[in-house]
Amino acid sequence: MVLVVDAGKGFLPVWLAARLFDPGWLPACAGLVAVLGQVFSVFLKGRGGKGVATSLGAGLALAPLPALACVALWVALFGAFRVSSIGSLAAVASFPTFLWLLHAGTLFNLAFAGATGLLVFVRHKDNIRRLLRGEELRLRRIPVDPSDESS
């Protein structure tokens, strides 16, 4: 539920800006402001989340296919490593490439991708340190057979 709400915080302003105003810089700017608002929440005295889900929502409104490609990359990496931060960092890092490959790499979309990617990486600095030390938490696999605890 948190993923849906946070993604919605990014999607709705971008979608509205694109529908109400001439497409251009405003939708990408609305997405960046939404991510900044989630990361530096006034309701939490400037201490919000890491911006991944809100960036996803904004990305889905700006360029759906590249954003979905990032989701697929996250799913693949999470499935392989069982570490959410690996998938999240790879997804935001690859968003500009997917924008370019899928012909959605406008200057404004690339600026959004670069700014939010940098912000997400900065917010993940502790996760990156733990990854480098091999201490990042992994989600355990849930055994299919309850008697099989070796999974």
Side-chain angles (χ1 to χ4, degrees), residues 66-67 69-74 77 87-102 110 113 117 121:
C70 290
V71 170
L73 178 62
W74 184 92
L77 290 173
S88 298
L89 293 168
V92 297
S94 66
F95 190 47
T97 302
F98 286 129
L99 285 168
W100 177 73
L101 287 173
L102 297 170
L110 289 169
F121 265 79

Side-chain angles (χ1 to χ4, degrees), residues 49-60:
K50 295 187 179 180
V52 177
T54 307
S55 296
L56 168 63
L60 284 168

Side-chain angles (χ1 to χ4, degrees), residues 16-137:
L16 285 172
R19 297 306 173 277
L20 297 175
F21 303 99
D22 184 28
W25 64 272
L26 196 57
C29 186
L32 180 58
V33 169
V35 174
L36 287 169
Q38 200 273 336
V39 169
F40 302 108
S41 173
V42 296
F43 303 108
L44 299 173
K45 298 179 181 168
R47 302 193 63 176
K50 295 187 179 180
V52 177
T54 307
S55 296
L56 168 63
L60 284 168
L62 284 172
L65 288 178
L68 289 172
C70 290
V71 170
L73 178 62
W74 184 92
V75 167
L77 290 173
F78 182 75
F81 297 103
R82 310 305 284 179
V83 178
S84 181
S85 59
I86 290 174
S88 298
L89 293 168
V92 297
S94 66
F95 190 47
T97 302
F98 286 129
L99 285 168
W100 177 73
L101 287 173
L102 297 170
H103 308 289
T106 67
L107 175 63
F108 306 117
N109 287 357
L110 289 169
F112 166 81
T116 56
L118 179 62
L119 183 59
V120 167
F121 265 79
V122 168
R123 296 294 288 188
H124 276 80
K125 68 181 182 307
D126 293 334
N127 301 80
I128 294 168
R129 285 187 189 120
R130 286 192 298 270
L131 283 167
L132 293 172
R133 291 192 309 250
E135 298 171 353
E136 185 73 338
L137 295 177

